[in-house]
Amino acid sequence: MDEQAARSVVEGLVNAAGDDAAVVDGTVLTIDMLHERTDFPPGTSRYTTGWRSVGVSLSDVAAMGATATATVAAFGVPEFDADVLETFLEGARDVSTAVGAQYVGGDLDQHSEFTVATAAIGTTEQPVRRSGASPGELLCVTGTLGRGAAGVRAFEAGAIGLGNDLFQFTPRVEAGQALAGVATAMMDSSDGLARSLHQLGAASDVGFQVDGNAIPVADTLDRFLAVGETGSEVAGTYGGDFELVFTIPKAELEAVRSALSVPVTVIGEVRPAAAGIELDGEPLPDQGYTHGESTDR
Amino acid sequence: MDEQAARSVVEGLVNAAGDDAAVVDGTVLTIDMLHERTDFPPGTSRYTTGWRSVGVSLSDVAAMGATATATVAAFGVPEFDADVLETFLEGARDVSTAVGAQYVGGDLDQHSEFTVATAAIGTTEQPVRRSGASPGELLCVTGTLGRGAAGVRAFEAGAIGLGNDLFQFTPRVEAGQALAGVATAMMDSSDGLARSLHQLGAASDVGFQVDGNAIPVADTLDRFLAVGETGSEVAGTYGGDFELVFTIPKAELEAVRSALSVPVTVIGEVRPAAAGIELDGEPLPDQGYTHGESTDR
């Protein structure tokens, strides 16, 4: 079995429901593991690491349209340094507080590489799954894409302060809650827009037509584009963003824009599965950020 | 700051409430991280690894007196092998089912050393904390101690099948639920009885007198004792067991024994903090199993 096939089988096994988080009796539960080498470029502060790793789990709760209630984190560290851990925990606490959740504890393990696992819970009466999109609906995203890419490139360019700022994203819990009962399908953009669309498309059995010019690109990304790159290409495939990608009936757009305090951009339309997933009329490959590496599949 | 002091600060920071799991609005949440080198001796099967790692989080839920509802796991693996992961997940599912919970998904991460993080949730109206013990109450344990030590030694002796059997413990969720509202303080014995008593003692501000002869030792441990070792010594300090250590008013003993399907043994008595924590009249050092290594502190 090659890695691609194995990964596909394994992801199916790991994520029983295929959504960003599992729902059991109205409680949403998610777990994520991140580690230093691939998820946190050199320059990432411990505070940012705490913020971002707990933020990843909170983003999964947001993507279900749930209210976030609590977070925990387990740290695998080469050695126990109270100051370092305290800084990490400040980030973990602050991102939790920012979305109305409580950071309530965790576990500590000795580990050769700095490793963090985070879990979050939330509550929801009407979870938004990946599977409810229908042809004719609008495809939307919150905020801007490309923040994750800009962050990685800022670190590479030595702009450490900027990289840390960009890596401290606010999980879209408030927006997700406002979208519960309205969005027909939703997930976060953590693995890149292209991959999100392929996953939403597969779960809902639909296709998408995306308008490349409509993709809202983070301003900061412009500074870090290489010759020949466009912001929407990089923003669309790089990942490491934690915006919500969702579908809504056309008639709901104005109500959604009023209800959300974050900008909502229509980037395309849902269409039948047979029409495929296209960007500006060309097939959009399932390309994105997976487990810390930019990969095709 | 030396490692001991740092560890103490860090554990305080990590476990906000000091209990086996956090409780938020009636939902119990816990996370644990385990990794190959220290937690799973050579010979541990993937099935056992899945069972045991998810079991560790379920044991934390049990120690709160809660009903276990769902579990998740995140796997950090050097390479993606679907067969291996499937076996792991069978263990994770089976231990969850054994205590009435659902294994509902997880995350996958590429990692140089096999690493597992698990989280579990449960519900409780009246969580049992570590802090409610009072002098004059009875100190009890469920089942037998020394199973973890016997398991490690079985693996060392090449008795792989036996090691795997011993490592597949049943989390005491049923017993924990039955003890809710009755036990005044409770935790699991994962770090060894001695350490549990020091942690319960500190949280409840009490001491304990333990009767060494009363400690229920797993039969299998006898086969693996070195010359000069006694079963109760090893069972009391080694850890890697997941029994409940709890205190109850004397008048509740018979009711507790009737309510629990697992044996309950009285191993001592709660006394004032000033009297200290003693085994057979001698101070019992805070010695046990911490993060995969047997350590003193």
Side-chain angles (χ1 to χ4, degrees):
Chain A
M1 198 182 293
D2 68 8
E3 185 182 317
Q4 183 175 317
R7 183 188 286 274
S8 164
V9 172
V10 160
E11 288 189 350
L13 290 168
V14 171
N15 293 296
D19 291 308
D20 290 59
V23 187
V24 183
D25 301 335
T27 299
V28 169
L29 171 63
T30 182
I31 189 166
D32 296 279
M33 188 183 286
L34 299 169
H35 64 291
E36 185 119 63
R37 185 169 46 84
T38 55
D39 295 300
F40 301 110
T44 310
S45 73
R46 288 299 180 219
Y47 180 86
T48 298
T49 305
W51 178 290
R52 190 170 177 84
S53 50
V54 170
V56 167
S57 286
L58 286 166
S59 181
D60 288 335
V61 171
M64 302 303 295
T67 302
T69 51
T71 60
V72 286
F75 312 106
V77 291
E79 51 188 61
F80 299 100
D81 179 322
D83 294 334
V84 166
L85 264 282
E86 194 162 357
T87 307
F88 184 100
L89 292 174
E90 274 172 35
R93 278 194 209 101
D94 287 353
V95 71
S96 302
T97 306
V99 298
Q102 275 180 270
Y103 174 79
V104 293
D107 186 32
L108 198 59
D109 189 37
Q110 203 151 15
H111 211 288
S112 54
E113 187 185 4
F114 184 79
T115 303
V116 195
T118 57
I121 57 171
T123 56
T124 172
E125 297 290 307
Q126 43 189 2
V128 186
R129 304 195 179 272
R130 294 183 182 175
S131 53
S134 300
E137 292 177 339
L138 299 176
L139 174 66
C140 307
V141 295
T142 57
T144 58
L145 301 178
R147 183 178 174 133
V152 169
R153 291 181 176 189
F155 282 121
E156 285 168 1
I160 302 301
L162 177 60
N164 278 288
D165 284 349
L166 290 167
F167 261 38
Q168 291 167 34
F169 66 91
T170 299
R172 298 299 188 198
V173 174
E174 193 187 346
Q177 288 172 262
L179 286 164
V182 182
T184 52
M186 183 153 68
M187 64 181 294
D188 74 14
S189 65
S190 56
D191 293 338
L193 177 65
R195 180 140 302 157
S196 297
L197 294 179
H198 278 271
Q199 294 182 340
L200 282 176
S204 290
D205 193 27
V206 297
F208 297 102
Q209 182 59 259
V210 181
D211 174 7
N213 290 324
I215 295 174
V217 180
D219 288 345
T220 331
L221 183 59
D222 289 343
R223 289 176 50 183
F224 299 106
L225 291 177
V227 175
E229 282 186 334
T230 68
S232 63
E233 267 172 26
V234 174
T237 55
Y238 199 92
D241 292 327
F242 296 86
E243 297 296 345
L244 298 176
V245 183
F246 60 96
T247 56
I248 51 169
K250 282 182 179 165
E252 300 286 353
L253 181 60
E254 288 318 306
V256 161
R257 284 196 162 133
S258 309
L260 269 63
S261 58
V262 60
V264 169
T265 306
V266 177
I267 60 167
E269 210 173 279
V270 185
R271 54 187 198 165
I277 297 173
E278 292 184 343
L279 173 69
D280 298 331
E282 297 293 324
L284 177 66
D286 183 3
Q287 182 183 45
Y289 183 95
T290 303
H291 308 289
E293 284 150 76
S294 182
T295 55
D296 292 53
R297 67 168 175 183
Chain B
M1 196 182 297
D2 67 9
E3 186 183 316
Q4 183 175 319
R7 182 188 286 273
S8 164
V9 172
V10 159
E11 287 189 350
L13 291 167
V14 170
N15 293 296
D19 292 308
D20 290 60
V23 187
V24 183
D25 301 335
T27 299
V28 168
L29 172 62
T30 183
I31 190 167
D32 297 278
M33 187 183 286
L34 300 170
H35 62 291
E36 185 119 62
R37 186 168 47 81
T38 56
D39 295 300
F40 301 111
T44 310
S45 72
R46 288 299 180 220
Y47 179 85
T48 299
T49 304
W51 178 291
R52 191 171 177 84
S53 51
V54 171
V56 167
S57 286
L58 287 167
S59 181
D60 288 335
V61 171
M64 302 304 294
T67 301
T69 50
T71 60
V72 287
F75 312 105
V77 291
E79 51 187 61
F80 298 100
D81 178 322
D83 294 332
V84 166
L85 263 283
E86 194 163 358
T87 307
F88 185 99
L89 292 174
E90 274 172 36
R93 279 194 207 102
D94 287 352
V95 70
S96 302
T97 306
V99 299
Q102 275 180 269
Y103 173 80
V104 294
D107 186 33
L108 199 58
D109 189 37
Q110 203 151 16
H111 210 288
S112 54
E113 186 185 4
F114 184 80
T115 303
V116 195
T118 57
I121 57 172
T123 55
T124 172
E125 297 290 306
Q126 42 187 2
V128 186
R129 304 195 179 271
R130 294 183 181 175
S131 53
S134 300
E137 293 177 339
L138 299 177
L139 174 65
C140 306
V141 296
T142 57
T144 58
L145 301 178
R147 181 177 174 131
V152 169
R153 291 181 176 190
F155 282 120
E156 285 168 0
I160 302 303
L162 178 60
N164 279 288
D165 284 349
L166 289 167
F167 262 37
Q168 291 167 34
F169 67 92
T170 299
R172 296 300 188 198
V173 174
E174 193 188 346
Q177 288 172 262
L179 286 163
V182 182
T184 52
M186 183 154 68
M187 66 181 292
D188 74 12
S189 65
S190 55
D191 292 339
L193 177 65
R195 180 141 301 157
S196 297
L197 294 180
H198 278 271
Q199 293 182 338
L200 283 176
S204 291
D205 193 26
V206 296
F208 297 103
Q209 182 59 259
V210 181
D211 173 7
N213 290 323
I215 295 174
V217 180
D219 288 344
T220 332
L221 183 59
D222 288 345
R223 290 177 47 183
F224 299 106
L225 291 178
V227 175
E229 282 186 334
T230 69
S232 63
E233 268 173 26
V234 174
T237 55
Y238 199 93
D241 293 326
F242 296 86
E243 297 295 345
L244 299 176
V245 183
F246 59 97
T247 55
I248 51 170
K250 282 182 179 167
E252 299 286 354
L253 181 60
E254 288 317 308
V256 161
R257 284 197 161 132
S258 308
L260 269 63
S261 58
V262 60
V264 169
T265 306
V266 176
I267 60 167
E269 208 171 283
V270 185
R271 55 188 198 165
I277 296 174
E278 292 185 342
L279 173 69
D280 299 330
E282 297 294 324
L284 177 66
D286 183 3
Q287 182 183 46
Y289 183 96
T290 303
H291 308 289
E293 285 152 72
S294 183
T295 55
D296 292 53
R297 67 166 176 184

